[in-house]
Amino acid sequence: MMEGEWERFLRQLTPEKLEYLLRSRDYIPSKDLLMALYLALKLGKPLLVEGEPGNGKTELAKVLAEALGTELIRLQCYEGIDASQALYDWNYPKQLLAIRMLERSGDVESIEREIYSEKYLVKGPLLRAVTYRGPKPPVLLIDEVDRADEEFEAFLLEFLAEFQVTVPEIGTFRAEKRPIVIITSNRTREVGEGLRRRCLYVYVTYPPKEREVEIVMRRVKGVERRLVEKAVDVVARIRASEAVLKKPGVSETIDWVEGLRALGYRDIDRRALEDTVSCLFKAREDLEAVSLDDLLGG
């Protein structure tokens, strides 16, 4: 069997090449994340990425799709989501219009064949992933799976086993190439053991100072390193406070440094912190639980 572009890419892929691809798009992975992603690609397994919000879980899928030159297909999970919303629906207005145009023929079977054909199908994220026909598989991001209920999680488990979708009126669609699946969880509830066993796993936590500084320096152009280092120190003090419930992630650090730059601050004093505190705290209770002077080391 002739080796395709994707198979050739995987054969030649090394952890070093994968790290280069991610870093070239300003994504700085930890060693644990890099190796988990590398093995997921090599083994064709989904990767479950858990951790606190704002630490690059969703961004990983976006950057990976960009680095591979393939499509990102996102399934955003939420409370109450069901299988039909993830799979497909019918374009009912278009079907009704077709029925009116065809009903003069009086042939019921031909009308049914027409209106239940693929051109009236509205593909959800999972069906789009299965029917994708690019040279490389798409990246399927199943985001915040912990927000969905256990019934939907069981459905996902079945989908990940087969990578196929059956539309009763048309037939079964099977993936020519298995999608690259990234599943994220903020641990608002425990993900079931069945899904965990199906996936490779990595936990993403707050990065050490030097890596966080590097991440921010790459994302916020033209900012002085001294300012970024001081900002990272302040964020670390917020995360260390047991009184703060919604701790800022790396995305909040990036937003804060961008805010400081936008206001022209080249150092962080109390006035700078007061003017930009909205970038760091997302709940009044957390803001009231800390002393700004203590955050500045005063």
Side-chain angles (χ1 to χ4, degrees), residues 98-113:
I99 289 170
R100 288 171 184 161
M101 294 176 64
L102 295 170
E103 62 187 0
R104 279 174 280 180
S105 69
D107 186 346
V108 176
E109 289 187 4
S110 64
I111 293 174
E112 287 183 350
R113 282 195 302 270

Side-chain angles (χ1 to χ4, degrees), residues 214-225:
E214 183 182 0
I215 293 169
V216 177
M217 292 289 294
R218 282 177 174 259
R219 292 301 182 96
V220 187
K221 307 300 182 184
V223 68
E224 293 182 7
R225 185 179 185 89

Side-chain angles (χ1 to χ4, degrees), residues 32-41 44-50 60 64 140-142 160 180-185 195 198-203:
D32 289 348
L33 179 58
L34 176 67
M35 294 309 299
L37 179 60
Y38 174 74
L39 289 174
L41 290 171
K45 303 275 284 185
L47 177 62
L48 173 59
V49 188
E50 280 194 327
L60 173 64
L64 181 62
L140 174 60
L141 169 62
I142 301 175
L160 293 173
I180 301 161
V181 182
I182 305 293
I183 305 172
T184 73
S185 168
L195 189 60
R198 178 71 61 188
C199 304
L200 301 189
Y201 176 82
V202 64
Y203 187 86

Side-chain angles (χ1 to χ4, degrees), residues 15-258:
E16 293 75 19
K17 288 181 179 178
L18 180 59
E19 183 174 19
Y20 172 79
L21 286 173
L22 297 177
R23 281 178 168 268
S24 68
R25 285 151 180 86
D26 296 330
Y27 191 94
I28 315 299
S30 66
K31 183 178 180 182
D32 289 348
L33 179 58
L34 176 67
M35 294 309 299
L37 179 60
Y38 174 74
L39 289 174
L41 290 171
K42 282 286 192 178
L43 301 177
K45 303 275 284 185
L47 177 62
L48 173 59
V49 188
E50 280 194 327
E52 298 296 327
N55 282 317
K57 301 186 297 298
T58 299
E59 188 69 15
L60 173 64
K62 295 178 181 178
V63 169
L64 181 62
E66 183 183 336
L68 296 178
T70 190
E71 183 177 348
L72 173 69
I73 299 173
R74 181 174 182 173
L75 171 60
Q76 178 62 55
C77 297
Y78 53 88
E79 185 178 353
I81 188 173
D82 60 29
S84 64
Q85 292 161 312
L87 290 174
Y88 68 90
D89 202 350
W90 293 102
N91 189 329
Y92 297 113
K94 194 174 179 180
Q95 283 178 320
L96 286 172
L97 183 61
I99 289 170
R100 288 171 184 161
M101 294 176 64
L102 295 170
E103 62 187 0
R104 279 174 280 180
S105 69
D107 186 346
V108 176
E109 289 187 4
S110 64
I111 293 174
E112 287 183 350
R113 282 195 302 270
E114 170 63 21
I115 66 171
Y116 287 113
S117 59
E118 192 170 346
K119 68 181 180 180
Y120 296 98
L121 197 61
V122 180
K123 296 179 180 180
L126 299 187
L127 184 55
R128 284 173 54 207
V130 164
T131 57
Y132 185 78
R133 295 296 180 259
K136 294 177 181 177
V139 175
L140 174 60
L141 169 62
I142 301 175
D143 211 10
E144 297 183 315
V145 70
D146 52 314
R147 293 186 180 276
D149 58 29
E150 294 179 2
E151 183 178 352
F152 185 76
E153 187 180 310
F155 156 73
L156 282 178
L157 188 61
E158 182 180 350
F159 171 80
L160 293 173
E162 303 295 337
F163 286 102
Q164 67 180 36
V165 174
T166 298
V167 180
E169 297 86 351
I170 298 177
T172 298
F173 297 87
R174 293 181 178 84
E176 289 183 359
K177 294 183 179 69
R178 288 198 165 203
I180 301 161
V181 182
I182 305 293
I183 305 172
T184 73
S185 168
N186 293 329
R187 300 197 70 174
T188 57
R189 71 166 178 86
E190 281 296 318
V191 175
E193 290 302 315
L195 189 60
R196 289 183 182 278
R197 287 196 301 270
R198 178 71 61 188
C199 304
L200 301 189
Y201 176 82
V202 64
Y203 187 86
V204 178
T205 188
Y206 304 115
K209 178 177 178 177
E210 284 305 310
R211 186 155 63 86
E212 187 162 7
V213 169
E214 183 182 0
I215 293 169
V216 177
M217 292 289 294
R218 282 177 174 259
R219 292 301 182 96
V220 187
K221 307 300 182 184
V223 68
E224 293 182 7
R225 185 179 185 89
R226 181 177 62 86
L227 178 67
V228 175
E229 289 178 343
K230 193 165 184 179
V232 169
D233 286 340
V234 171
V235 171
R237 293 189 189 105
I238 298 173
R239 292 172 185 159
S241 172
E242 294 183 0
V244 175
L245 299 179
K246 298 183 184 298
K247 302 183 189 301
V250 178
S251 62
E252 280 75 29
T253 310
I254 294 169
D255 287 346
W256 185 33
V257 174
E258 287 183 332

